[in-house]
Amino acid sequence: MTEVKHLICSLGCRDGKAVCQADGGAEESADIRELCRHCGDSGADQLLIYDCSQTDEDHERTIGCIKEIAREVDTPIITGGRVKRLEDVKKYLYAGAEAVFLEAGSEENVDLIQEASSRFGTEKIYMNLTEAAQLKRAAEFAQLGASKMILSFPFDSELLSEISRMELPLLLSGADESRAAESFRIPNVEGLLLPAGWDGNWMACKQALKEQGFAVETFESTLDWNQFRLNSDGLIPVIVQDYKTSEVLMMAYMNQEAFRKTLETGTMTYFSRSRQSLWLKGETSGHFQYVKSLSIDCDQDTILAKVHQIGAACHTGNRSCFFTTLAEKEYKETNPLKVFEEVYDIIKDRKKHPKEGSYTNYLFDKGIDKILKKCGEEATEIIIAAKNPDPEEIKYEISDFLYHVMVLMVEKGVTWEEITRELANR
């Protein structure tokens, strides 16, 4: 199987902002969450966030930023830069990072490799090499438990043979897309680091690499356009859903060119019947739709697109075009995640807007120890109920337990999205 090559967005974090480092300095800053979200949506395969903090307080602020980014952005995160002890590695990973890099120039970090890889798994520990002299220790790093190496220094042709002999997969720093093909011709190079401020087009760069024969992550259709059943105008309708909530956002049409553009750019492009031209959703409003998946129905005459919607999908400013109710019958929501989220939101609202006589507010008023005590009691009740042959009792006790756990989640600022993401990662 051909090894897939990755383009990785590289940026620093200081004082809760993204910093662009050049010539040893950090001159420019930006909203790090927005920048990471944009790069991920635009086609970056991974995010490498370098912790540039100088103080423990700023280090904790960076951990918080990584946690928020992991919550909001699907793109895998690699991070490091301020590891002084094993606890720092744990904090990065628990914040949502897929892997943590240790600094090859720090003997304290080298001493941590074996302990960190044993505790968290070798696949989660990388080494960051900042100068060519550190290449001589590559075999040592691999033996201790590092699974990949990041080469953060510029390299020339004299180092190519040495780099190509290294056993571990490599991630190379790079200034622009012109180095991508050169770097990826080295067999063990898995990824290229491009700065977050790079003004190139991630998907366009991937398409160029694909044309040169490299395996990169792009959108490929399993069916040809001529296999679709089109309407009398030669178009196919597209139903658009939010990829996280499954909310139906809008319906539009594609012709062959719009379908090709959507696959090529990863951004939803339609055919406007009124203007008789291609229509890039968000081109004027900024409310782009980034593709997560495209499916087709059993008759092959309708496409279902799951997207990350920026802003509103409807030209009226509403999130969805389907905001007008024509007829409705009361029903109980039974979608598990929606039920959990609705109960969670009620508990969260109780904490923000206390209500007299509310048991939930009683728990919040008593504090964390009382909440933990109730969680423990309810867990015990589940065990007792499980010994009872009547299944109704255990349903009741599990429901009680989940309610108290949600109170704990709100108290600690943990969301259902974070829990489901963690379960999905496992």
Side-chain angles (χ1 to χ4, degrees):
M1 183 177 177
T2 305
E3 186 72 34
V4 175
K5 306 294 186 179
H6 296 130
L7 294 182
I8 303 168
C9 168
S10 174
L11 67 159
C13 182
R14 176 180 295 151
D15 296 327
K17 296 181 179 180
V19 292
C20 299
Q21 294 183 314
D23 300 325
E27 304 297 334
E28 299 180 6
S29 63
D31 185 325
I32 190 168
R33 298 160 195 81
E34 185 59 36
L35 190 55
C36 288
R37 188 184 302 112
H38 173 73
C39 290
D41 284 338
S42 301
D45 298 306
Q46 295 174 324
L47 302 169
L48 187 143
I49 302 174
Y50 196 96
D51 184 350
C52 302
S53 59
Q54 299 296 316
T55 65
D56 290 341
E57 181 182 8
D58 193 24
H59 174 55
E60 291 301 321
R61 188 182 296 116
T62 298
I63 296 292
C65 286
I66 293 170
K67 183 177 181 180
E68 289 183 30
I69 294 164
R71 180 188 301 169
E72 298 173 12
V73 181
D74 293 318
T75 313
I77 297 170
I78 305 164
T79 192
R82 190 177 170 84
V83 176
K84 294 184 177 180
R85 54 194 185 279
L86 192 66
E87 181 69 16
D88 293 316
V89 177
K90 185 178 82 170
K91 285 183 177 180
Y92 284 137
L93 292 173
Y94 282 18
E98 182 181 79
V100 173
F101 61 80
L102 305 177
E103 299 289 352
S106 165
E107 285 306 313
E108 290 81 2
N109 275 204
V110 172
D111 292 340
L112 276 177
I113 300 174
Q114 194 166 26
E115 186 179 5
S117 60
S118 297
R119 171 80 180 274
F120 304 110
T122 57
E123 73 282 357
K124 294 186 180 296
I125 305 301
Y126 300 174
M127 290 303 294
N128 182 37
L129 281 60
T130 56
E131 56 185 53
Q134 294 165 354
L135 290 170
K136 298 176 181 178
R137 303 186 67 182
E140 175 191 353
F141 299 149
Q143 188 174 18
L144 287 171
S147 61
K148 292 183 186 178
M149 283 192 293
I150 302 166
L151 305 192
S152 298
F153 57 89
F155 68 92
D156 52 33
S157 56
E158 294 180 3
L159 288 175
L160 285 179
S161 59
E162 184 175 355
I163 291 173
S164 62
R165 290 196 303 269
M166 298 172 69
E167 296 181 1
L168 292 181
L170 304 177
L171 308 180
L172 299 185
S173 61
D176 54 46
E177 63 181 292
S178 64
R179 292 192 58 188
E182 173 193 353
S183 300
F184 287 154
R185 288 192 182 97
I186 304 172
N188 52 336
V189 171
E190 182 182 281
L192 181 70
L193 306 176
L194 294 170
W198 174 58
D199 60 2
N201 184 303
W202 296 89
M203 290 301 290
C205 183
K206 286 185 177 182
Q207 293 294 343
L209 288 166
K210 180 182 171 184
E211 289 179 4
Q212 296 179 65
F214 294 103
V216 289
E217 293 184 359
T218 57
F219 291 102
E220 304 291 337
S221 177
T222 57
L223 295 179
D224 292 330
W225 177 262
N226 58 21
Q227 294 177 273
F228 297 166
R229 295 179 61 185
L230 309 177
N231 65 15
S232 57
D233 295 322
L235 307 175
I236 189 167
V238 183
I239 299 169
V240 186
Q241 281 185 308
D242 183 286
Y243 82 108
K244 285 186 176 179
T245 65
S246 294
E247 179 185 16
V248 178
L249 300 174
M250 59 177 280
M251 195 276 278
Y253 292 86
M254 283 183 180
N255 64 1
Q256 185 173 8
E257 180 65 9
F259 182 66
R260 185 187 68 79
K261 280 284 187 183
T262 297
L263 292 175
E264 184 180 285
T265 63
T267 308
M268 295 300 291
T269 305
Y270 306 103
F271 181 78
S272 171
R273 294 175 299 167
S274 59
R275 296 193 300 268
Q276 287 293 296
S277 62
L278 289 186
W279 161 37
L280 171 62
K281 176 66 176 175
E283 188 171 23
T284 56
S285 66
H287 296 166
F288 295 99
Q289 295 175 339
Y290 295 100
V291 180
K292 293 299 181 180
S293 71
L294 298 174
S295 306
I296 197 160
D297 73 332
C298 55
D299 293 323
Q300 297 181 186
D301 63 3
T302 305
I303 290 175
L304 174 65
K306 293 192 176 183
V307 305
H308 176 204
Q309 173 71 56
I310 303 299
C314 184
H315 73 281
T316 63
N318 284 281
R319 172 73 176 175
S320 167
C321 292
F322 299 94
F323 58 88
T324 303
T325 301
L326 297 178
E328 187 176 31
K329 182 178 181 179
E330 284 191 23
Y331 63 94
K332 284 187 177 181
E333 178 63 71
T334 57
N335 181 306
L337 184 53
K338 286 187 176 181
V339 172
F340 286 152
E341 287 181 334
E342 285 178 5
V343 175
Y344 180 93
D345 287 342
I346 292 171
I347 294 171
K348 188 176 179 181
D349 184 70
R350 282 285 188 273
K351 184 174 175 64
K352 189 175 181 180
H353 305 103
K355 187 175 181 180
E356 188 176 353
S358 165
Y359 175 67
T360 303
N361 286 129
Y362 163 76
L363 292 174
F364 284 133
D365 290 342
K366 289 295 183 180
I368 187 67
D369 288 343
K370 180 65 175 180
I371 295 170
L372 293 175
K373 184 172 183 291
K374 289 301 297 182
C375 287
E377 289 174 359
E378 297 302 335
T380 303
E381 292 295 332
I382 291 175
I383 296 171
I384 295 170
K387 302 293 287 184
N388 190 323
D390 182 2
E392 294 303 316
E393 188 176 344
I394 195 169
K395 291 178 190 176
Y396 179 85
E397 297 301 346
I398 289 176
S399 298
D400 246 8
F401 174 73
L402 287 172
Y403 159 76
H404 286 91
V405 165
M406 279 189 271
V407 173
L408 176 61
M409 289 167 61
V410 171
E411 179 71 11
K412 302 300 290 184
V414 177
T415 68
W416 274 117
E417 187 173 346
E418 290 174 293
I419 298 299
T420 53
R421 184 189 293 272
E422 177 64 25
L423 289 172
N425 288 340
R426 295 185 182 185

